[in-house]
Amino acid sequence: MTDSSPRIESVIPHVTSRVWQLATTEPDRVAVTDRGGDRSYSELAAQAGVIAARLRGLGAQRGDVVAILAERSAALISGVLGVLAAGAAYFPLDCHAPVGRNRALLETARIRHVLVAPDLLEMAARLTEGARIPAHTILLTDGAGQAAGLVPVTPADRDLAYVIFTSGSTGVPKGAMVEWRGLHNHLIAMIDELRLGGDDRIAFTAPLTFDISVWQMLTPLLAGARVCVFDQDTVRDPEALGRQLAADQVSVLQLVPSLLTACLDLWDVRGVTPAVGGQLRWLIVTGEELRAALGRRWLAKFPGIPLVNAYGPAECADDVTLAAISDPAELSGDRVPLGDPVMGNRLYVLDALLSTVPPGESGELYVAGLGVGRGYLGNPGQTAERFIACPFGAVGERMYRTGDMVRRRDDGALEFAGRVDEQVKVRGYRVELAEVEAALARQRGVAQAAAALRPANGTGGRLIGYVTAAPGATLDPAVIRAGVAALLPEYMVPDVIAMLPALPLNANGKLDRRALPAPGAGAARRGRGRG
């Protein structure tokens, strides 16, 4: 077991109260910088207050879930604060996901209020049209410039703070529910671990549907610092990313390993080093396994900027471990250690009988403590399967079964050792292959379907879909891919559709995923083929 004392610093206010406090004491302090310029704490609080009042006026109550449809911006952050200030929980929608998928999520979450960016009003109308549960649409910019006359609700520890849907192992997305005690504890832990203060500028680079977005936009506000919003085009362009890091004087940056690899590759090819050395204090890497070779590359190029390996599932208020590394000598092996538990969390490495695994042997990682979420929204079956009674804690305490295999090294550090299931990571996103396979199987003429992640240099891997044709059917890979794209978010759509005469099976008659061929030749690459 690895332990971290379960405590929340009660002297630190909740983030909504902190924003309102700074709006009074330091109204002109810059809270957010985006493409539209700077937004002060007083402006941020005023807009959030208007949204909170509007939600209450429309009947939103404590514990309700409010959806948000918007790209990263200062207005989006005002919306999140407004939802939280009203006592509700926020639920981000993927602006780039198919309308049908988002509509299904709205119905699953029983959403009655949707906050919408002005440029996405048409999409919101299509989402709510014909929904079984009528939903009010509220513009994020409603009442802009009005004074804030609302005091935020002070949440209880077990109040719901947010819901983030992840890919589901049963073929259906599942909504991870995180409570205020976990959210508040994690924000405080990040301030403590990164030693954040009012002069810091934290890059907001993650999509709102990625759980790391929570701390990126809220921790700076709790610390009285500044959120620097990076749009998606900038995040995916290493040159543009380097320019904005320097222009905004960012002090904390977070990237997934595949994107960090792409940045280092391009910077090396161009022979450039972004001018970030004067202000960047931390690079946080998360979302995918961090290999030691990549860590050494970063420290060689930026020897004065330590990197932090952050690990945590969406079900547990984001990070549950952090490992800060500043010396390449700490990266002597192949894998980077997961680090110590975040304040308030406890970690257990257990076997199938929930017995502690000896050092050097692999076991499944379980998380207990303040970070453990409430479960899956409207899904008691999967909640019971993944959130189980903790035999090492108080009566009634639960722990979360991560599905990640880890082992304790000779030096006591934990390192990642694989998965117990078929979950993979694509650009930091969790992808359950069963959900991809379910979408493939729904396409006309497909008899059987499988999916796998294949290695690809610098990209974190390519998602491959495999299909066989029903008798007499002719399959077009492009048509199949387009059909899947109408059902799943972009990151879950296979890069290649490979057509096979039959799926490989093992001795038990089940899919042998390891025997799926690598695409690249013959029918797998043709625009049209027959199963």
Side-chain angles (χ1 to χ4, degrees), residues 172-235:
V172 179
K174 53 191 179 185
M177 300 184 289
V178 172
E179 298 171 334
W180 263 100
R181 67 172 190 164
L183 167 62
H184 189 53
N185 181 75
H186 185 249
L187 300 184
I188 295 169
M190 294 302 283
I191 291 174
D192 183 57
E193 293 285 347
L194 302 177
R195 301 186 293 278
L196 299 178
D199 292 333
D200 276 297
R201 300 183 179 199
I202 289 81
F204 182 12
T205 59
L208 202 62
T209 51
F210 197 170
D211 60 341
I212 64 175
S213 65
V214 180
W215 89 266
Q216 287 183 2
M217 64 177 164
L218 297 183
T219 303
L221 303 179
L222 187 59
R226 183 185 305 199
V227 184
C228 296
V229 179
F230 283 50
D231 62 51
Q232 197 62 11
D233 289 340
T234 298
V235 171

Side-chain angles (χ1 to χ4, degrees), residues 256-259 285-290 309-310 425-429 459-460:
V256 297
S258 51
L259 181 54
V285 186
T286 193
E288 302 163 351
E289 184 183 4
L290 174 60
N309 188 23
K425 291 291 187 76
V426 177
R427 301 198 302 274
Y429 287 100
T459 66

Side-chain angles (χ1 to χ4, degrees), residues 17-28 41-43 45 148:
S17 298
R18 176 63 167 160
V19 170
W20 261 254
Q21 179 189 77
L22 288 168
T24 300
T25 59
E26 300 183 63
D28 296 328
Y41 273 88
S42 60
E43 292 171 324

Side-chain angles (χ1 to χ4, degrees), residues 42-82:
S42 60
E43 292 171 324
L44 195 68
Q47 184 61 22
V50 169
I51 291 171
R54 182 79 189 280
L55 285 169
R56 289 185 186 175
L58 289 171
Q61 300 178 3
R62 192 172 193 151
D64 284 353
V65 180
V66 176
I68 301 181
L69 182 67
E71 301 281 10
R72 292 189 294 277
S73 66
L76 164 68
I77 297 173
S78 289
V80 169
L81 290 171

